[in-house]
Amino acid sequence: MKKNPRPAVPALALCLALLALRVVDLLFFTDPATGFVTAGPAWLRWAVPMGASVLLWLLGCLLPRDAAPRATPAQGAALLAAGAFFVVSGLTGLADLLQALLALAAGGWCLCFGVRLLRGSVRPLPAAWCLPVLLPELWALVRQFSVVPASTARLQCTYRVLGGAAALLLLCALFKLLFAPGTSCGRLAFRCGVAALLLCTCHEAPQAVYGLAHGLCGLSRAAFSLGQGALGLCGLAMAYSSGPAQNSDKNT
């Protein structure tokens, strides 16, 4: 019997290694008052995950071209967690009414479709159902550039921008899974999923916890980033479901 590759396993190992490096960097080589690094070049902190993203993209080549991701309860659980964080972000950020309403819309969408995935209810839906979660992610990305522009030295802002871009890529793959089930997009789902895991869960989420603990960001901002981190866990579940388990043709 031909052994099928599981690229999600080495991808997860790489992401966990970079998560450990990010936590160590935050705890020992970051100024808690400003968020700037205290040792080594700042550009190296974002160049490494960018290089890892290329490796993760190449791992996607191990999947067959006709692989199709499955909807799983793990994806639903991750969406429920993301929805809860987005709702908290909206309720605690009412001073910025537009951002709060968009975060609540994203939270409601994630909760709704998280429940659907847990129940195994996946069927084609109109494209308009994408808007309640797509618009908040787009606005958060635009707002990050307009309010606090990203730069090679502002790692907190840079990781938020990279995480937002990865979240948008993940949503593109998730929309295919939810609204066009059975589409042969296994490679896309894997690559977008592990990119979100790397940039949202392993980089944006830990810095949100660090920033909240040291007063570098408010609860609303931190909760939104943690919601992005939960989306990254949904990406991990998508990447794993894009493997050979759902394409169980036994080759002899």
Side-chain angles (χ1 to χ4, degrees):
M1 180 183 295
K2 183 180 178 180
K3 187 177 180 181
N4 290 313
R6 282 199 178 276
V9 175
L12 176 60
L14 177 59
C15 290
L16 289 178
L18 290 182
L19 171 61
L21 288 176
R22 181 62 184 144
V23 171
V24 169
D25 191 40
L26 285 169
L27 292 178
F28 300 105
F29 304 106
T30 301
D31 183 2
T34 63
F36 286 94
V37 298
T38 58
W43 64 265
L44 189 61
R45 268 76 171 188
W46 56 262
V48 170
M50 290 297 94
S53 298
V54 174
L55 292 177
L56 294 173
W57 185 89
L58 292 174
L59 278 175
C61 297
L62 296 176
L63 292 173
R65 292 184 179 275
D66 59 348
R70 289 184 295 128
T72 65
Q75 298 163 8
L79 279 184
L80 289 178
F85 281 121
F86 288 147
V87 168
V88 170
S89 176
L91 293 177
T92 57
L94 293 175
D96 187 345
L97 187 57
L98 176 58
Q99 176 66 24
L101 292 176
L102 289 174
L104 289 173
W109 189 94
C110 289
L111 291 173
C112 175
F113 282 92
V115 171
R116 289 173 64 88
L117 283 171
L118 284 176
R119 292 179 175 178
S121 175
V122 177
R123 58 185 176 83
L125 290 171
W129 281 90
C130 304
L131 296 179
V133 70
L134 192 59
L135 290 179
E137 291 290 346
L138 286 171
W139 173 246
L141 201 57
V142 171
R143 185 173 180 270
Q144 186 61 49
F145 272 111
S146 62
V147 176
V148 186
S151 71
T152 56
R154 296 177 182 271
L155 290 178
Q156 303 254 340
C157 303
T158 300
Y159 283 136
R160 287 174 190 157
V161 170
L162 293 176
L168 285 173
L169 288 175
L170 172 66
L171 289 175
C172 291
L174 186 59
F175 292 154
K176 287 194 173 186
L177 174 68
L178 291 173
F179 303 151
T183 303
S184 298
C185 59
R187 287 188 176 184
L188 174 69
F190 175 86
R191 287 165 172 164
C192 294
V194 293
L197 175 68
L198 175 67
L199 298 173
C200 297
T201 308
C202 298
H203 285 81
E204 185 178 358
Q207 81 168 13
V209 175
Y210 180 86
L212 184 62
H214 293 88
L216 298 174
C217 65
L219 178 58
S220 178
R221 174 68 259 184
F224 194 89
S225 291
L226 290 173
Q228 302 279 68
L231 284 180
L233 294 179
C234 180
L236 172 61
M238 286 183 60
Y240 188 81
S241 75
S242 300
Q246 77 277 13
N247 301 315
S248 55
D249 295 328
K250 297 183 179 180
N251 301 310
T252 56

